[in-house]
């Protein structure tokens, strides 16, 4: 189903069409996220990269996983890209501030965002991390 805010038509649509073409996928049969109620939908695969973000990581991911073309719907490629993005965003500092900045950058593209959606996401990541650490 096509939604009015399903994908940003100027920033991401052409990139999405190019990504699906390179992967031999039918763009009308390839799932992307729905509009979450703010911003845009259009995120791809299990790690939910928007096309304009994915293209910045695709070549590095392809090299890391040993493929000629990285695929955001492939679980290994998707979470390799997520790890690289989070590391670049500050998660490797292993500090709360660095992890919050990385979470914000991952979710909303800005490590210093003050939007409530972004702050709530970063806080939920911190709660989940604390739960996991406590269970170890």
């Amino acid at each position: 189903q096509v939604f009015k805010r399903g994908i940003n038509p100027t920033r991401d649509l052409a990139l999405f069409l190019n990504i699906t073409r390179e992967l031999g996928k039918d763009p009308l049969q390839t799932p992307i996220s729905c509009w979450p109620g703010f911003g845009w939908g259009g995120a791809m695969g299990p790690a939910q990269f928007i096309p304009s973000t994915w293209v910045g990581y695709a070549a590095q991911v392809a090299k890391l996983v040993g493929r000629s073309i990285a695929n955001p719907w492939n679980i290994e490629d998707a979470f390799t890209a997520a790890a690289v993005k989070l590391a670049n965003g500050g998660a490797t500092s292993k500090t709360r501030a660095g992890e919050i900045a990385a979470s914000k950058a991952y979710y909303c593209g800005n490590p210093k965002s003050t939007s409530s959606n972004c702050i709530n996401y970063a806080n939920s990541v911190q709660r989940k991390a604390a739960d996991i650490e406590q269970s170890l």
Side-chain angles (χ1 to χ4, degrees):
Q1 184 174 357
V2 176
F3 293 91
K4 185 176 179 182
R5 292 186 62 107
I7 191 166
N8 185 304
T10 55
R11 182 190 64 205
D12 293 310
L13 182 57
L15 295 170
F16 172 74
L17 295 172
N18 189 51
I19 291 164
T20 53
R21 183 180 42 74
E22 285 181 344
L23 293 169
K25 293 182 168 290
D26 178 347
L28 296 176
Q29 298 297 315
T30 303
I32 57 173
S33 68
C34 296
W35 179 57
F38 57 93
W40 290 90
M44 307 175 298
Q48 291 291 278
F49 275 84
I50 59 171
S52 54
T53 302
W54 177 258
V55 298
Y57 292 92
Q60 184 179 5
V61 170
K63 185 175 180 178
L64 288 168
V65 300
R67 280 188 260 290
S68 59
I69 300 174
N71 179 344
W73 291 275
N74 174 290
I75 197 162
E76 180 182 17
D77 296 5
F79 287 108
T80 297
V84 170
K85 182 166 177 49
L86 288 166
N88 290 348
T92 56
S93 72
K94 298 184 180 180
T95 65
R96 181 172 170 80
E99 291 172 357
I100 287 171
S103 297
K104 287 180 175 183
Y106 189 90
Y107 187 70
C108 61
N110 179 353
K112 296 178 181 182
S113 175
T114 58
S115 83
S116 60
N117 289 325
C118 201
I119 290 168
N120 290 339
Y121 177 79
N123 289 338
S124 71
V125 168
Q126 288 297 302
R127 283 191 300 275
K128 180 59 77 176
D131 289 348
I132 291 168
E133 288 172 359
Q134 201 170 43
S135 69
L136 298 177

